[in-house]
Amino acid sequence: MASPAEIANDMAAQSVFWARRDKAISKACNDAAVMIRMILADEPVDGRTWYGLHRRMLDLSMSRRYAHFGIHDNLHRALQALCALRAAGETAG
C-alpha cells in the first residue's frame, strides 16, 4: 500500500495530467495533494475545508459524467488516505 506522501505525489501528477482535460478533476486532485501534505506537516485544516474537498471528490468519483475517465480509483485512494490521516490526527490530539 502506498504511503500518504506517495498518494499526495500521485495526486499532484494527476492534477497536471487533467489540467487541460477537465478543470474540476484537476482542482480536486491538486487540493487533495495539498491537504494531505498539510496534514502530514501537522498544519491545521479546518473542518469546512476538509468536508468541502471530501464532498467534491465523492461527487466526481460517483458521477456518471466521469465514469469513462478512469479517475475513480485514484480519487478513492486519496479519500481513504485523507480519512485515515484525519482519524489518526483526532485520536492523537
Side-chain angles (χ1 to χ4, degrees):
M1 181 163 169
S3 71
E6 291 171 333
I7 294 171
N9 290 340
D10 180 53
M11 294 310 289
Q14 290 286 333
S15 176
V16 173
F17 175 81
W18 288 102
R20 292 194 174 182
R21 291 165 179 85
D22 191 279
K23 297 292 183 192
I25 292 175
S26 178
K27 180 159 176 38
C29 290
N30 184 58
D31 291 350
V34 169
M35 191 171 294
I36 289 170
R37 290 176 179 147
M38 285 177 66
I39 294 171
L40 289 174
D42 289 329
E43 295 177 21
V45 176
D46 67 273
R48 188 173 182 174
T49 303
W50 188 90
Y51 177 76
L53 175 61
H54 188 266
R55 185 69 198 171
R56 278 190 293 134
M57 292 178 72
L58 277 176
D59 287 345
L60 287 171
S61 67
M62 301 302 280
S63 173
R64 288 182 185 215
R65 176 180 176 204
Y66 299 105
H68 65 282
F69 285 176
I71 190 72
H72 295 111
D73 293 338
N74 293 325
L75 291 174
H76 282 291
R77 187 171 70 152
L79 277 170
Q80 288 174 341
L82 283 168
C83 291
L85 288 170
R86 187 168 190 212
E90 289 176 354
T91 58

